[in-house]
Each structure stands twice: as C-alpha cells, then as structure tokens.
Amino acid sequence: MRQRHGNIANKLTNRQQISSLLLGSLAFSSIFSLSGCQGNKATQQVVPTVDAYTVKEQLFKREATYQSTLVAILEIPMSPEIDGRIIAMPMREGAYVKAGTLLYRLDQRPIEGQANAELAIAQNARVNAERYLIANFSGAVSQKESDDYRASAKASSEIFKSRKATLAYKQVRAPIDGQLGAINNKLGDYVKAGTPVTSLVDNSRLWVAMDIPAELAHEARIGQLVGLTAPGLKGRQVYGRVTFVAPALDLTTQTLMLRATFNNPDQVLRHKQRVEAKLIFGSVKELSIPENAAFLQAGQSFDYVASPKQGSVSTLKLTPIKVGVSQNNMYPIISGLKNGDKVVIGNLSSLSNGDSVKIAGER
C-alpha cells in the first residue's frame, strides 16, 4: 500500500516537473520572440531628407579688388599772393561756399595809399600829354616833346593798374564752389605770400588710383568699369570709369597705374577716404553652387555630392572643391565638380560621408 502511494507521488512529481519545463520553454520562446522584434525595429533607420542644387553655369564678373584712397580732383590751397596782416576773416571751417565768396582780407591801407598817389601821377601825366598834343598841333612844341609826355602818361597809367591789381590780391576769394578745410591762422596774423591759410575742396568729383599687376596690364583700357565700396555707402556700390592708364609700368613694382573718376553729387564720399575699388574686366560663364552648399575644413572647401542609390534614396560623397570669390551668394567652381552634379544645400554639419538621404527639393 505504501509502495502504491509512493508510486502515485512520484508520478505526480514527474508531471509537475514536465509542466514546469513546458511553461519555462514557452516563456523563453516568448521572450526570445519579443527581443527579436525589438531588435528588428532598432535596426530600421530613418533616412533624412535634404535639399539639393544642380550644378550649372552662371555669369560671373571678372574683377580684381584694390585698397586705395579717394582724391578730390579739385583741391586748392587758399594762400595770399602777397605778404600782409589778416584784418577780416568771414569764412568758417567746413563751410560750403560759392565761387567769389570773400574768405579773408589782408590790410589794404599801405597799398591803398600808394595806389592813390599813383592815380594822381597818372591823371596829371594824362593832362600834360593832352596839353602837349594840342600844342604840337599848333606848332608851339616839337613832336618829340609831345611824344615824351604821352609815353610818360602811359607809363603812369600802367603803374596805377599794377598797384590796383596788387590791391586786389589783398582780398582772397573762393575760385570755385567747394567746402573749406581747417583754418590755419587767426585774425590779426601776419602771413607770407604762398602760405596756405586754408584749403578749398570740391568733393563732387573724385578719383581713385589703382596699381594693377603686369599680367593684367594688357586688359586695362579707358572707360573700364570700376565699382567702389566704402563704409558711408551702407552696402551699396558706386560706379565710375577708368579715365587714365599710365603709358608705362613702374620699373620697381612692375605694376601699371590706373585712375578712375567718380561723380559724388550727394557728397557722401570724401577726399582722402580709404575705399575698396573693384576693377571689372568683363563677365564669364562658370559652374556655380550656392554659398550654403560648401563648408571649410582645415583650409579646404568641401561639399556633399548626392549620387542615386535605389529609388528615391541617394548616397552622399564628401568632395573636395576649389571655389572662387563669391558673387551674389554664389561661388564660381574652379575644380572638383562637373555640370549636372547634385550637391546638398543647408545643414551640412549634420551629414557624413556615405550617408543615405532622400532629396526633398531641387534648385
């Protein structure tokens, strides 16, 4: 009896062990299946979308940039032509004046006294010349005496005119319309002839000089377009023309000097202002890409070229390129790309060589 009960107990134990093993196996299979599904999901990658630009030709200006200084075509030092003391100075520094405006006046009294004396002598000589001319007609005096008095009257008149001209030098007037510079003297100063008391500048027309290298000398010509950039222009350019080309190169620097003239009616540009001048040689068609299609790394420019892979998916290739000077937010391509290549634009820092992408839009 005990043995029968023992056998029954053993059978029950075996069945429990088998059930436990079956349940464990099912649980392990479920866990394995679940982890397998999760693993498949993890291996699925989202392909990013990008915008692309098709490399094509665009018109670029051929130009060379030079740093230079503007110079007023008319800058006149306002110096007296004779010595004298300044007794009047109605001018003001920086004022705009019209031609003929009195700037300053020297003491006229010594010259006025001499001029009045010369006038009296000239008038007396003229009266004597007239009297002797009449006397000569009547035979009272000889022809020689009459001629001597006429010569004396003429000489006296010329001396008076010269004195009057000297008197005019005492008044210094503006010879042109323009703006006055700094005043170097004050009222009461005694100034020597030729000493600049101030200067008069006409900023309405300016020129700029450029020294171009010998290899470009054969392309320089009168009438060539020059673009000017300066801080006061607030991003806009002013254009002028080459008005002078030197007949020879500088022997030491092997450069050719050009001069371009600019109209400046609003007086924004100034005499002696530092500017950037772009000499434009012409236009040429070159392959181009937008600025946001290229990035610089370790001194080398790169872009990502998208090559078709499968369906709408493309593979990126990191490509070294050489670009020229940007114009209107576009780079001219010197080397590294060919016509029709597709390059990625924007968000380049998030991409890597060999990435798969979908092109969302093209330009």
Side-chain angles (χ1 to χ4, degrees), residues 77-80 86 89 91 104 106 181-186 191-192 194-199:
M78 301 310 299
S79 309
I86 300 174
M89 189 181 282
M91 63 181 177
Y104 61 93
L106 305 180
I183 297 175
N184 305 317
N185 298 89
K186 62 183 182 299
V191 292
K192 290 284 189 180
T195 303
V197 175
T198 186
S199 62

Side-chain angles (χ1 to χ4, degrees), residues 41 49-50 66-67 95 154 166 208 230 232 248 256 271 307 331 341:
K41 288 182 181 178
T49 58
V50 297
Y66 303 93
Q67 300 297 321
K154 184 177 180 180
T166 302
V208 65
L256 183 70
H271 175 50
S307 301
Y331 283 125
D341 281 346

Side-chain angles (χ1 to χ4, degrees), residues 62 66 210 212-225 242 244-246 249 256-259 279-281:
R62 286 187 59 249
Y66 303 93
M210 296 166 287
I212 70 172
E215 56 266 27
L216 295 177
H218 68 284
E219 296 190 60
R221 64 188 184 279
I222 298 294
Q224 205 163 350
L225 195 63
V242 173
F244 172 76
V245 177
L249 272 69
L256 183 70
M257 197 273 279
L258 276 62
R259 186 179 294 168
L279 181 62
I280 300 170
F281 293 97

Side-chain angles (χ1 to χ4, degrees), residues 244-284:
F244 172 76
V245 177
L249 272 69
D250 183 279
L251 183 61
T252 304
T253 63
Q254 283 298 288
T255 56
L256 183 70
M257 197 273 279
L258 276 62
R259 186 179 294 168
T261 303
F262 297 84
N263 291 323
N264 184 38
D266 53 5
Q267 308 281 309
V268 173
L269 300 171
R270 300 278 179 164
H271 175 50
K272 296 183 180 179
Q273 181 179 357
R274 293 292 293 174
V275 294
E276 184 179 87
K278 289 185 179 180
L279 181 62
I280 300 170
F281 293 97
S283 298
V284 63

Side-chain angles (χ1 to χ4, degrees), residues 2 9 13 34 51 62 103 134 175 192 208-211 232 251 254 257 261 289 294 297 315 326 341:
R2 287 179 183 173
T13 301
L34 182 61
D51 292 327
R62 286 187 59 249
L103 303 181
I134 295 170
K192 290 284 189 180
V208 65
M210 296 166 287
D211 295 317
L251 183 61
Q254 283 298 288
M257 197 273 279
T261 303
I289 60 171
Q297 186 173 328
T315 303
S326 173
D341 281 346

Side-chain angles (χ1 to χ4, degrees), residues 53-250:
Y53 176 85
T54 303
V55 177
K56 50 185 170 290
E57 288 187 337
Q58 181 173 306
L59 204 61
F60 285 90
K61 293 177 182 176
R62 286 187 59 249
E63 55 188 29
T65 303
Y66 303 93
Q67 300 297 321
S68 192
T69 304
L70 286 171
V71 177
I73 293 175
L74 286 177
E75 181 196 15
I76 303 173
M78 301 310 299
S79 309
E81 296 190 42
I82 58 174
D83 299 352
R85 189 175 303 280
I86 300 174
I87 60 169
M89 189 181 282
M91 63 181 177
R92 293 181 296 105
E93 287 184 331
Y96 288 91
V97 296
K98 292 288 187 181
T101 301
L102 177 66
L103 303 181
Y104 61 93
R105 184 170 64 245
L106 305 180
D107 188 3
Q108 296 176 313
R109 287 171 297 180
I111 301 296
E112 283 178 338
Q114 294 175 7
N116 290 334
E118 297 294 348
L119 177 60
I121 293 171
Q123 288 174 338
N124 185 55
R126 181 170 57 81
V127 170
N128 286 334
E130 290 174 353
R131 287 171 53 199
Y132 271 81
L133 181 61
I134 295 170
N136 176 250
F137 286 151
S138 63
V141 297
S142 65
Q143 182 67 40
K144 183 179 181 306
E145 288 177 297
S146 176
D147 290 343
D148 288 344
Y149 273 96
R150 288 172 62 190
S152 176
K154 184 177 180 180
S156 297
S157 177
E158 293 299 327
I159 292 172
F160 171 70
K161 288 179 182 179
S162 174
R163 194 70 65 188
K164 286 289 287 183
T166 302
L167 190 62
Y169 294 152
K170 293 287 186 175
Q171 299 189 58
V172 180
R173 298 181 179 274
I176 60 169
D177 295 351
Q179 186 178 10
L180 291 171
I183 297 175
N184 305 317
N185 298 89
K186 62 183 182 299
L187 198 65
D189 282 355
Y190 189 87
V191 292
K192 290 284 189 180
T195 303
V197 175
T198 186
S199 62
L200 189 60
V201 176
D202 177 13
N203 275 319
S204 64
R205 293 187 76 233
L206 305 162
W207 58 258
V208 65
M210 296 166 287
D211 295 317
I212 70 172
E215 56 266 27
L216 295 177
H218 68 284
E219 296 190 60
R221 64 188 184 279
I222 298 294
Q224 205 163 350
L225 195 63
V226 179
L228 206 65
T229 304
L233 298 176
K234 298 180 180 179
R236 67 185 177 93
Q237 274 195 333
V238 172
Y239 289 93
R241 298 281 181 179
V242 173
T243 52
F244 172 76
V245 177
L249 272 69
D250 183 279

